[in-house]
Amino acid sequence: MRRAFIIPALLVISVFMVLVIGLLTKQPLRNLGAMQTLYQIQARQVAVAGIEEARLRLAGDINQSISNTTLSFEVCEAGTTTPLGSYLVVLDASWAVAPFRVLRVESEGFFGPSVKPLARYVIRATLDARPLLSPGNRNPKYLHVLRWQESVP
């Protein structure tokens, strides 16, 4: 009587063991996907920082002529010198002349070491490049974003 009960119990336990082992082997893949999503979000934030850096530099140089420029900067953790990521900003001023008066800015954010980043994110923005609406009348929308496009390379 006892032997008849032990054999089905061992079969049920072995089936549960196979299911648990299968679930445990899939868990690292789920964790890897979650980490990659986190890295993409952080690379996006670094790219946004690049766009804002370009806007601030342009706003400070309102009287200078705008030309094609490339900026790069390494973002460090607050209070340390440990680099978290970097960005590369390319400013295209070929459309900054009348009648268009727009700037095209492309910021590529990298998260992780600069040699081999963990994630990359690209943001392309078109900005209003008309500092004055008329002589003596400043444009309140100067350097505001007209178009925003994001992509993962």
Side-chain angles (χ1 to χ4, degrees):
M1 187 74 140
R2 284 187 157 186
R3 289 183 191 173
F5 179 72
I6 290 176
I7 293 174
L10 288 174
L11 286 173
V12 169
I13 289 173
S14 65
V15 167
F16 280 130
M17 292 278 288
V18 168
L19 288 174
V20 167
I21 290 171
L23 289 174
L24 288 177
T25 56
K26 283 191 173 190
Q27 192 61 32
L29 294 175
R30 290 183 192 148
N31 290 344
L32 182 63
M35 289 304 293
Q36 189 60 37
T37 301
L38 178 66
Y39 296 154
Q40 289 293 337
I41 291 169
Q42 290 173 333
R44 180 189 182 276
Q45 293 305 318
V46 172
V48 169
I51 294 279
E52 291 303 316
E53 176 75 20
R55 287 182 63 210
L56 285 173
R57 286 188 184 209
L58 289 169
D61 297 340
I62 194 168
N63 294 326
Q64 291 184 350
S65 64
I66 299 171
S67 62
N68 294 344
T69 310
T70 301
L71 303 170
S72 67
F73 188 73
E74 205 166 64
V75 179
C76 295
E77 191 173 347
T80 65
T81 58
T82 307
L84 291 177
S86 59
Y87 58 78
L88 176 68
V89 178
V90 177
L91 178 66
D92 179 12
S94 60
W95 295 90
V97 295
F100 307 109
R101 305 278 178 145
V102 293
L103 290 170
R104 297 172 73 197
V105 181
E106 180 177 313
S107 176
E108 187 169 6
F110 304 98
F111 178 73
S114 58
V115 177
K116 187 177 180 192
L118 299 171
R120 290 175 39 202
Y121 205 88
V122 176
I123 298 176
R124 291 176 189 85
T126 304
L127 308 176
D128 185 0
R130 192 173 20 162
L132 301 173
L133 294 174
S134 61
N137 187 12
R138 291 181 59 120
N139 182 3
K141 299 213 179 234
Y142 177 60
L143 297 178
H144 280 229
V145 177
L146 303 174
R147 183 172 169 235
W148 187 273
Q149 180 184 4
E150 300 183 13
S151 64
V152 178

